[in-house]
Amino acid sequence: MKKIIFVLSVSGLFLAACSEKEIQAPDDFEVAVTTTKYKLGDSVQFNLSGAPDNITFYSGEPGHEYDKRDFFSSDEGTLTLQFNSQTRAGATLPRNISVLISTDFNGEYNEQDVKAAKWTDITGRAVMPANTASNADVVSGEINLDDLKVKDRPMYVAFRYVSEDAAGTAQRYWNMGRMFLVNKVPGNGDFEITSTIEKGLFQVVEFQGADNKWTINTGTASSHRLIHTANAINTEADDDWVISRGFQVFQTFGHKKNAVNVKSITGGTPSTFSWLYSTPGTYKATFIALNADKDVQKEVIKEVWVTVEQ
């Protein structure tokens, strides 16, 4: 599954050489087409001239628009959630964890406001560890959340830990991680809303039980985990929540990665660059030419309108 990482600077696409000379803007860079109208299935050929250090390209297709490089919004996407989970102790117990979604939680992380919100239990939609202890991650599979999206409302994801027969049985240990919330937009790939359980992404809300609670392990980006240790026998009953921040599930930020690298500093400027549009429409193709050293960047932007007909 293609992943689009939350924030990626366009400058990260460029490898700039250090130079003692003053950096000049690449004013000699030009882009032209022989015609502005093309038939579907024909590649658009852009003629390039000049000698910039770097050239990048935005096709103008949805999700690949220079004007929206920091923001992309679509009502057409399919929203999916995926996470890993593992359990170790309390193997004979029924599963004592639930996965919940809310679109009317007000973002106040306290018992009163959490209880006031409507939460939909989606645990049954996920693949979870069987009723045996395991040290291995189980992948939930891609959980479709389209039926729970509400326009102009953020979506919250919660994991709730409730002890069962706390007076007579030791409880399970739960470890959740590798959460992906993805908007799959037709014709535009997968737009990742979040990919890590990091500091500030989740907050703990305690309803009952002081012996154990959720902890947020802020290790490396690939190993962020939500962990609830196993309560021993004869401990106080637990009702513990860990709740995400609100996700704007119709929006995606940071799609500067959707720029295509046409030229880097190590190569010469190509005389042509071709792009195949898969859908009829009128597109604003944008080229960014850049000269840079380690301290200074100067760029020139060229725009070309092309129409692709059926």
Side-chain angles (χ1 to χ4, degrees), residues 105-106 108-115 205 207:
F105 176 50
N106 64 6
E108 295 294 329
Y109 294 84
N110 59 68
E111 182 177 349
Q112 178 180 346
D113 288 291
V114 172
K115 285 183 175 179
V205 180
F207 279 19

Side-chain angles (χ1 to χ4, degrees), residues 30-35 38 45-49 271 273 287 304:
E30 297 291 344
V31 180
V33 290
T34 54
T35 178
Y38 297 83
Q45 180 173 294
F46 300 94
N47 300 312
L48 311 179
S49 61
S271 60
F273 173 77
F287 289 82
V304 179

Side-chain angles (χ1 to χ4, degrees), residues 140-211:
S140 67
E142 294 183 357
I143 305 165
N144 189 312
L145 300 180
D146 271 355
D147 59 311
L148 301 178
K149 295 189 299 187
V150 178
K151 189 66 175 175
D152 299 323
R153 287 190 185 179
M155 177 178 286
Y156 294 84
V157 180
F159 296 97
R160 184 184 185 186
Y161 182 103
V162 178
S163 59
E164 299 165 348
D165 187 25
T169 312
Q171 303 298 299
R172 281 187 169 196
Y173 162 103
W174 281 94
N175 186 322
M176 325 297 291
R178 298 292 293 165
M179 191 180 90
F180 297 97
L181 192 61
V182 176
N183 194 22
K184 295 171 174 272
V185 180
N188 292 286
D190 300 347
F191 296 93
E192 190 170 299
I193 298 170
T194 183
S195 63
T196 61
I197 296 172
E198 57 189 336
K199 185 176 182 180
L201 189 63
F202 276 82
Q203 293 191 45
V204 175
V205 180
E206 291 281 291
F207 279 19
Q208 182 182 9
D211 293 306

Side-chain angles (χ1 to χ4, degrees), residues 8-14 56 58 69 256-257 259 288 299:
L8 180 66
S9 170
V10 167
S11 62
L13 299 173
F14 307 130
T56 53
Y58 290 84
R69 63 197 181 279
K256 294 176 179 179
K257 188 177 180 180
I288 302 94
E299 66 180 28

Side-chain angles (χ1 to χ4, degrees), residues 5-304:
I5 305 303
F6 229 168
V7 178
L8 180 66
S9 170
V10 167
S11 62
L13 299 173
F14 307 130
L15 297 175
C18 298
S19 173
E20 296 180 357
K21 297 187 295 184
E22 181 182 355
I23 296 298
Q24 302 293 327
D27 295 322
D28 61 343
F29 178 67
E30 297 291 344
V31 180
V33 290
T34 54
T35 178
T36 59
K37 291 186 177 181
Y38 297 83
K39 291 294 184 181
L40 187 65
D42 293 339
S43 293
V44 178
Q45 180 173 294
F46 300 94
N47 300 312
L48 311 179
S49 61
D53 290 340
N54 302 277
I55 305 171
T56 53
F57 169 75
Y58 290 84
S59 67
E61 296 162 286
H64 301 257
E65 299 161 278
Y66 176 75
D67 295 340
K68 299 179 181 179
R69 63 197 181 279
D70 292 314
F71 172 81
F72 176 67
S73 179
S74 174
D75 295 341
E76 300 178 2
T78 297
L79 183 69
T80 64
L81 172 68
Q82 181 172 302
F83 58 87
N84 291 2
S85 62
Q86 61 175 263
T87 185
R88 297 179 189 171
T92 60
L93 283 174
R95 186 173 295 118
N96 63 323
I97 194 169
S98 54
V99 188
L100 307 165
I101 300 291
S102 178
T103 55
D104 68 357
F105 176 50
N106 64 6
E108 295 294 329
Y109 294 84
N110 59 68
E111 182 177 349
Q112 178 180 346
D113 288 291
V114 172
K115 285 183 175 179
K118 176 184 176 182
W119 294 91
T120 301
D121 192 330
I122 64 164
T123 315
R125 305 186 190 187
V127 178
M128 303 284 281
N131 288 336
T132 56
S134 172
N135 293 329
D137 268 339
V138 174
V139 181
S140 67
E142 294 183 357
I143 305 165
N144 189 312
L145 300 180
D146 271 355
D147 59 311
L148 301 178
K149 295 189 299 187
V150 178
K151 189 66 175 175
D152 299 323
R153 287 190 185 179
M155 177 178 286
Y156 294 84
V157 180
F159 296 97
R160 184 184 185 186
Y161 182 103
V162 178
S163 59
E164 299 165 348
D165 187 25
T169 312
Q171 303 298 299
R172 281 187 169 196
Y173 162 103
W174 281 94
N175 186 322
M176 325 297 291
R178 298 292 293 165
M179 191 180 90
F180 297 97
L181 192 61
V182 176
N183 194 22
K184 295 171 174 272
V185 180
N188 292 286
D190 300 347
F191 296 93
E192 190 170 299
I193 298 170
T194 183
S195 63
T196 61
I197 296 172
E198 57 189 336
K199 185 176 182 180
L201 189 63
F202 276 82
Q203 293 191 45
V204 175
V205 180
E206 291 281 291
F207 279 19
Q208 182 182 9
D211 293 306
N212 281 312
K213 65 179 181 180
W214 286 102
T215 59
I216 302 171
N217 178 359
T218 56
T220 63
S222 62
S223 65
H224 295 305
R225 312 291 297 198
L226 303 173
I227 298 172
H228 199 294
T229 55
N231 286 20
I233 192 171
N234 291 326
T235 53
E236 185 181 1
D238 251 347
D239 187 354
D240 301 334
W241 294 59
V242 61
I243 305 171
S244 76
R245 66 171 176 81
F247 298 112
Q248 299 296 334
V249 295
F250 292 92
Q251 302 172 0
T252 307
F253 296 88
H255 286 296
K256 294 176 179 179
K257 188 177 180 180
N258 284 358
V260 174
N261 189 26
V262 177
K263 175 193 180 297
S264 66
I265 194 169
T266 58
T269 301
S271 60
T272 62
F273 173 77
S274 296
W275 189 260
L276 182 63
Y277 290 88
S278 60
T279 306
T282 298
Y283 303 97
K284 182 170 69 173
T286 305
F287 289 82
I288 302 94
L290 179 76
N291 288 339
D293 64 11
K294 64 183 180 67
D295 299 315
V296 179
Q297 295 185 2
K298 293 186 178 181
E299 66 180 28
V300 168
I301 298 171
K302 298 293 182 180
E303 298 172 345
V304 179

